[in-house]
Amino acid sequence: MEREKQLKVNAIKDGTVIDRIPSSQLFRVIEILSLEDCDSQITFGMNLESKHLESKAIIKISERFFEDDDINRIALIAPEAKFNIIKDYEVVEKRQVTVPDAIVGIAKCFNPDCITNHQPITTRFATKHTDKGLLLVCHYCEKVTDEHNLKIISKNT
Amino acid sequence: MPKSLVSIHDFSKDELLYIVKQAAIFEKDHRPVLKGKVVATIFFEPSTRTRLSFETAANRLGARVVGFSDADNTSVSKGETLKDTIMMISNYADLIVMRHPREGSARYASEISRVPVINAGDGANQHPSQTLLDMYSIQKTQGRLDNLTITMVGDLKYGRTVHSLLQAMSHFNTRFKFIAPPELRMPEEYKQYLSERGLPFTEHTELAENINDADILYMTRVQRERFSDPIEYEKVKNVYVLKNSFLKDTKPSMKILHPLPRVNEISADVDNNPKAYYFEQARNGVFARMAIIHYLIGR
Ligand SMILES: [Zn+2]
């Protein structure tokens, strides 16, 4: 038991541990944060037991700290994710992702006729929390993008 | 950023009432109050009816009109971005009236333009001057906007005019009745919009028996291309045709509106009924557009 726990939380000296990612979203999170292009040591685990989620994933990245903008990108697909900032083996800060009122330049409008899909325009959405989950209302075409047709624009595209 | 009219939400209740009031004034009196102004009508897709209505309105106000009626033979067809086109035209004109096939294009244009933008249709999204002319027609025929029953018929799913009118009239304690085939019912989000504001509505599939309490009967086109199954279209295309015989027990003050052009949803024998108002409605478009243009650049 003790050993298993150790494997899961294999410590890093400096960097970020992203916790409480739904397992199903792990690879999207990796893509959105462009971690495949990152030179730092990265370990991740998925299908881990969680008190908060059915099954969670964790990503640990050495020597890497994230901006609010990155954290907000994650908020759309992993709204309960936690960013633990590690300095010298200690958690010095915990940042809970929050879904902002406006999402700028992160998501893609699902409406194929939306002007943002045809001209070089930064996308903008207002967020709306409903019983059907998180909805994004396009500032331009006024259509609603939901979690099922949500596409995140990854950082390097 | 100057005040624009992109979406019906851009105008408050007071602004909507102001436009309706001004439209009545412009109908009585065409003074060239915008002499020396230049209005650009830029139509990235053709819509002769809408363009002529706006150009007539601008001319009656004494403004000059420049522009293009479709994107062929312009720098747009050579691949110029919308941004560059709008930047250039907003250097020349005092107001831009714009129609574009992409949804959200007018909102974007209004954010980069130095002068106000009126959205004359952005794809299937918004066409707010149509809503204001509908409101002016309602005010003119009913003497008020408050406490009316508006019965909407036909394509309530894709019809942008009914959605905008629903939102605009939600300021006025309107009762709505929706008559549509199941495939083209009013979308949930608009019903939710009414529920949140405590406004009553009912839904029906039969036309003839549900129109007697209407103050306004708002007819729309049912288009073949909206149906995934052509057999479904064949089944409903003749169900939502308004015939003169249906009108005998309707209210004497009731008026029939239609955004035009119609296909076959209003049979020709209705045209001579005094309740038919759709041709005057189109004429009201000029006055409503005069009021909008004047509101944005004439005060
Ligand atoms: Zn959009």
Side-chain angles (χ1 to χ4, degrees):
Chain A
M1 201 56 203
E2 195 53 35
R3 182 172 161 71
E4 191 184 71
K5 197 176 171 189
Q6 230 174 6
L7 274 175
K8 280 183 201 166
V9 289
N10 199 5
I12 55 173
K13 184 167 183 282
D14 297 294
T16 306
V17 175
I18 310 170
D19 195 5
R20 292 199 204 168
I21 301 165
S23 283
S24 58
Q25 301 296 344
L26 173 66
F27 289 97
R28 284 176 92 186
V29 171
I30 290 170
E31 193 200 328
I32 291 161
L33 296 177
S34 307
L35 295 180
E36 60 273 81
D37 303 325
C38 177
D39 297 328
S40 318
Q41 261 189 27
I42 302 173
T43 49
F44 64 84
M46 66 185 280
N47 300 326
L48 309 176
E49 279 170 39
S50 166
K51 268 180 270 175
H52 305 276
L53 300 166
E54 240 170 62
S55 155
K56 72 169 181 179
I58 287 182
I59 307 176
K60 287 180 278 178
I61 310 120
S62 292
E63 315 289 338
R64 193 54 207 277
F65 305 94
F66 293 91
E67 306 289 330
D68 280 349
D69 182 50
D70 294 309
I71 295 174
N72 289 346
R73 276 167 208 265
I74 300 305
L76 295 179
I77 54 166
E80 294 188 52
K82 264 195 152 78
F83 281 64
N84 300 299
I85 294 133
I86 315 286
K87 296 256 166 85
D88 202 16
Y89 300 105
E90 297 282 339
V91 176
V92 294
E93 195 187 341
K94 281 181 188 238
R95 287 159 82 184
Q96 175 81 52
V97 311
T98 47
V99 178
D101 295 338
I103 305 278
V104 179
I106 295 172
K108 195 167 145 14
C109 183
F110 90 106
N111 175 6
D113 285 327
C114 180
I115 190 72
T116 61
N117 290 318
H118 298 272
Q119 297 269 331
I121 298 171
T122 307
T123 62
R124 272 175 70 186
F125 299 88
T127 54
K128 221 173 142 183
H129 299 269
T130 68
D131 46 2
K132 289 186 198 94
L134 178 68
L135 302 179
L136 303 186
V137 184
C138 179
H139 170 70
Y140 292 102
C141 73
E142 306 182 12
K143 297 287 176 297
V144 173
T145 297
D146 65 21
E147 279 162 317
H148 303 292
N149 47 37
L150 180 64
K151 277 207 186 78
I152 309 283
I153 301 167
S154 52
K155 224 187 160 183
N156 47 3
T157 53
Chain B
M1 218 162 74
K3 173 95 184 172
S4 286
L5 177 58
V6 171
S7 165
I8 199 67
H9 327 289
D10 294 343
F11 278 13
S12 65
K13 179 180 180 179
D14 285 347
E15 286 175 306
L16 296 172
L17 286 168
Y18 178 79
I19 299 293
V20 168
K21 197 180 88 197
Q22 286 293 109
I25 292 170
F26 283 121
E27 179 166 4
K28 287 200 202 81
D29 181 12
H30 294 155
R31 275 175 303 129
V33 288
L34 296 185
K35 220 169 163 189
K37 300 275 188 187
V38 175
V39 170
T41 54
I42 56 171
F43 278 53
F44 295 84
E45 64 177 4
S47 173
T48 308
R49 188 186 299 271
T50 303
R51 186 171 55 81
L52 291 182
S53 179
F54 270 110
E55 293 186 354
T56 304
N59 275 293
R60 287 204 188 282
L61 289 166
R64 300 269 183 157
V65 176
V66 297
F68 51 86
S69 55
D70 66 64
D72 296 344
N73 304 317
T74 65
S75 49
V76 178
S77 61
K78 299 185 192 103
E80 186 179 66
T81 61
L82 179 58
K83 181 177 181 180
D84 289 8
T85 307
I86 297 297
M87 293 294 253
M88 177 195 67
I89 292 165
S90 73
N91 284 331
Y92 303 157
D94 299 295
L95 173 80
I96 294 174
V97 177
M98 167 175 159
R99 187 180 186 99
H100 194 285
R102 299 292 180 202
E103 298 172 34
S105 51
R107 175 70 62 201
Y108 177 64
S110 75
E111 290 174 345
I112 54 182
S113 172
R114 297 157 47 149
V115 299
V117 173
I118 297 175
N119 181 7
D122 60 331
N125 186 31
Q126 287 270 341
H127 188 17
S129 65
Q130 175 72 46
T131 307
L132 280 154
L133 83 86
D134 291 343
M135 292 178 75
Y136 178 47
S137 300
I138 294 170
Q139 169 69 38
K140 219 170 125 179
T141 59
Q142 307 298 320
R144 65 184 207 276
L145 291 169
D146 287 302
N147 302 311
L148 295 169
T149 297
I150 298 182
T151 302
M152 296 176 162
V153 182
D155 177 0
L156 305 186
K157 184 171 180 188
Y158 299 102
R160 64 181 175 190
T161 56
V162 292
H163 301 157
S164 296
L165 185 62
L166 178 152
Q167 291 171 326
M169 291 304 292
S170 68
H171 292 297
F172 301 98
N173 200 28
T174 305
R175 290 174 300 278
F176 289 98
K177 244 181 176 179
F178 304 134
I179 304 177
E183 280 208 35
L184 298 177
R185 283 172 58 176
M186 183 61 75
E188 252 348 282
E189 58 180 294
Y190 295 103
K191 290 187 267 181
Q192 176 100 31
Y193 185 91
L194 295 177
S195 302
E196 282 166 10
R197 285 158 183 78
L199 294 170
F201 63 86
T202 53
E203 291 186 277
H204 312 270
T205 52
E206 293 299 314
L207 175 58
E209 63 205 52
N210 286 304
I211 60 176
N212 289 347
D213 61 345
D215 294 302
I216 293 292
L217 186 58
Y218 200 97
M219 301 292 298
T220 64
R221 277 191 298 291
V222 175
Q223 289 166 291
R224 184 189 301 267
E225 56 268 31
R226 298 301 188 201
F227 286 82
S228 46
D229 181 354
I231 296 164
E232 283 303 311
Y233 172 73
E234 292 304 320
K235 271 198 264 176
V236 303
K237 74 170 185 191
N238 294 321
V239 175
Y240 297 92
V241 176
L242 186 67
K243 298 189 177 69
N244 199 38
S245 58
F246 295 177
L247 299 174
K248 65 176 178 357
D249 294 325
T250 55
K251 287 187 178 180
S253 59
M254 188 274 269
K255 290 286 182 265
I256 304 157
L257 303 188
H258 188 300
L260 301 182
R262 64 176 153 166
V263 189
N264 72 331
E265 55 277 358
I266 302 177
S267 73
D269 65 0
V270 177
D271 293 357
N272 294 325
N273 192 310
K275 292 173 184 174
Y277 193 73
Y278 26 93
F279 296 119
E280 285 102 312
Q281 180 191 1
R283 182 168 172 271
N284 289 338
V286 173
F287 311 125
R289 290 176 175 123
M290 288 171 81
I292 297 165
I293 294 170
H294 180 257
Y295 177 67
L296 295 176
I297 60 169
R299 293 178 311 144

